[in-house]
């Protein structure tokens, strides 16, 4: 059970049924510490000469810490990009951070295109099935002169779903495989995401062994992904790329 100081809520300890505590464990979330971590990461990136724009992953209720409270606290110190695991999480988060960019990390459910467009949520594309599940539900393009909702990123044409292409660089969970050669994945993605209704924006992958400093896999994944990102940028399929994991920092 999550207890946020200042929320006015009592820890779950005190909730009992027939004298039996229902929630004997709790965590106390220090939102100022969370903000400090975010700002420290931004400062670290600036010191390396990079423009900081961390993607704050708040899936699974911010890993049990309270997604709404954490996202609001992060947005208050400059965070403007968040990621979640499910469409339900994305829709809920949109109410908390109405102006932020939101990335759906898992494949969008079939028929979700109207919601993605309306709520300005970016989709993950990691297979042909991901594309087809949404393409078949895309509404007709807006008529000339019709009112258009604000796109999630500057420069994305109205009526198109922004997508981040996911590559499998070695974790073997989701994404177009690139360990056997990035060009095959590039050709497949080019044919898929350039269908009407899609706008390729980002490119990403997931580190599989970042929590093990001795593992050679992380270096191999970084090298593999870097080669692929260069190819995708040349093909106009990537405006920016990101590669991380919970232990990636």
């Amino acid at each position: 059970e999550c207890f946020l100081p200042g929320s006015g809520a009592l820890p779950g300890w005190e909730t009992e049924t027939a004298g039996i505590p229902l929630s004997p464990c709790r965590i106390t979330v220090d939102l100022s510490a969370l903000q400090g971590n975010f700002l420290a990461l931004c400062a670290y990136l600036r010191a390396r000469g990079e423009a900081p724009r961390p993607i704050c992953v708040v899936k699974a209720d911010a890993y049990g810490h309270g997604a709404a409270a954490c996202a609001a606290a992060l947005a208050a110190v400059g965070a403007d990009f968040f990621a979640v695991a499910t469409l339900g999480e994305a829709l809920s988060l949109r109410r908390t951070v109405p102006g932020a960019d939101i990335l759906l990390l898992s494949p969008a459910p079939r028929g979700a295109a109207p919601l993605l467009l309306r709520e300005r949520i970016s989709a993950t594309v990691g297979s042909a099935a991901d594309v087809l599940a949404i393409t078949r539900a895309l509404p007709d393009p807006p008529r000339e002169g019709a009112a258009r909702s604000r796109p999630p990123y500057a420069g994305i044409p109205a009526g198109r779903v922004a997508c981040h292409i996911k590559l499998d660089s070695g974790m073997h969970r989701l994404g177009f495989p690139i360990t056997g050669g990035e060009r095959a994945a590039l050709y497949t993605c080019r044919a898929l995401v350039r269908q009407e209704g899609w706008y390729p924006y980002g490119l990403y992958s997931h580190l599989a062994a970042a929590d093990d400093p001795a593992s050679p896999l992380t270096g191999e994944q970084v090298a593999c992904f870097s080669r692929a990102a260069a190819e995708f940028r040349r093909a106009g399929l990537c405006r920016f790329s990101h590669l991380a994991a919970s232990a990636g920092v």
Side-chain angles (χ1 to χ4, degrees):
E1 184 153 344
C2 179
F3 172 59
L4 298 171
S7 66
L10 291 174
W13 274 98
E14 287 77 11
T15 303
E16 298 185 355
T17 296
I20 302 173
L22 299 181
S23 182
C25 301
R26 66 185 174 101
I27 60 171
T28 299
V29 180
D30 186 342
L31 295 177
S32 64
L34 179 65
Q35 293 173 322
N37 289 343
F38 175 82
L39 293 173
L41 178 59
C42 290
Y44 170 77
L45 293 172
R46 288 193 191 94
R48 291 169 55 90
E50 302 176 21
R53 199 189 182 203
I55 301 175
C56 303
V57 180
V58 290
K59 63 181 182 178
D61 197 29
Y63 298 89
H65 292 71
C70 289
L74 289 166
V77 291
D80 65 352
F81 200 156
F82 297 86
V84 292
T86 69
L87 181 58
E89 290 177 344
L91 296 175
S92 178
L93 183 64
R94 174 54 75 210
R95 295 194 293 269
T96 301
V97 286
D101 295 333
I102 298 176
L103 170 62
L104 179 59
L105 295 172
S106 61
R110 185 176 299 275
L115 282 174
L116 296 176
L117 285 169
R118 188 189 75 196
E119 300 297 333
R120 307 184 314 279
I121 296 167
S122 296
T124 283
V125 172
S127 70
D130 295 347
V131 175
L132 294 176
I134 295 180
T135 301
R136 292 170 178 168
L138 282 167
D140 294 332
R143 297 187 303 275
E144 189 67 28
R148 298 179 176 183
S149 61
R150 185 175 65 84
Y153 306 101
I156 292 181
R160 292 199 178 190
V161 175
C163 67
H164 289 235
I165 299 168
K166 184 164 188 179
L167 303 179
D168 178 8
S169 58
M171 189 169 189
H172 308 310
R173 181 194 291 172
L174 295 170
F176 293 100
I178 57 172
T179 50
E182 59 272 9
R183 284 192 175 272
L186 171 62
Y187 296 147
T188 302
C189 292
R190 178 184 288 166
L192 289 171
V193 302
R194 285 194 168 170
Q195 297 184 62
E196 186 174 354
W198 287 95
Y199 190 89
Y201 187 83
L203 185 77
Y204 76 106
S205 191
H206 195 294
L207 296 174
D211 56 346
D212 181 5
S215 173
L217 180 57
T218 299
E220 294 168 5
Q221 284 189 265
V222 170
C224 182
F225 181 75
S226 297
R227 290 193 302 268
E231 293 282 351
F232 275 71
R233 286 193 190 95
R234 283 192 285 269
L237 292 174
C238 171
R239 291 177 60 177
F240 78 96
S241 57
H242 44 109
L243 174 66
S246 296
V249 175

